[in-house]
């Protein structure tokens, strides 16, 4: 996969996680991590996958608190 494909997949994962778990932020974060780690692991390795998943969760957390997501 190209990085463009990965970014679109990440966006879809985040959107789906928010839609499916809108009442519980903890479940949103868990769903994002659960979907991202296997997706990214094969492409960039476990350490980088964990780092990126953590950053995505941070961005989602801030967006939800501001009401921008």
């Amino acid at each position: 996969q190209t990085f463009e494909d990965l970014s679109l997949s990440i966006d879809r994962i985040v959107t789906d996680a928010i839609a499916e778990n809108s009442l519980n932020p903890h479940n949103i974060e868990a769903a994002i991590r659960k979907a991202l780690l296997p997706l990214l692991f094969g492409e960039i390795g476990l350490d980088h996958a964990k780092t990126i998943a953590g950053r995505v969760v941070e961005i989602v957390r801030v967006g939800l608190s501001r009401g921008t997501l």
Side-chain angles (χ1 to χ4, degrees):
Q1 285 188 348
T2 66
F3 286 117
E4 181 180 351
D5 294 335
L6 286 173
S7 67
L8 293 172
S9 295
I10 291 169
D11 184 59
R12 190 175 348 89
I13 288 167
V14 168
T15 302
D16 291 348
I18 291 170
E20 293 171 7
N21 302 289
S22 61
L23 299 177
N24 189 335
H26 180 70
N27 287 352
I28 292 172
E29 294 176 15
I32 291 170
R33 288 181 197 277
K34 183 178 179 181
L36 285 185
L37 288 177
L39 172 72
L40 297 173
F41 172 74
E43 298 292 328
I44 59 175
L46 184 60
D47 291 335
H48 292 302
K50 284 182 178 180
T51 300
I52 290 174
R55 289 290 294 140
V56 169
V57 167
E58 286 176 29
I59 292 166
V60 169
R61 197 178 295 147
V62 169
L64 289 174
S65 71
R66 292 182 180 170
T68 57
L69 290 179

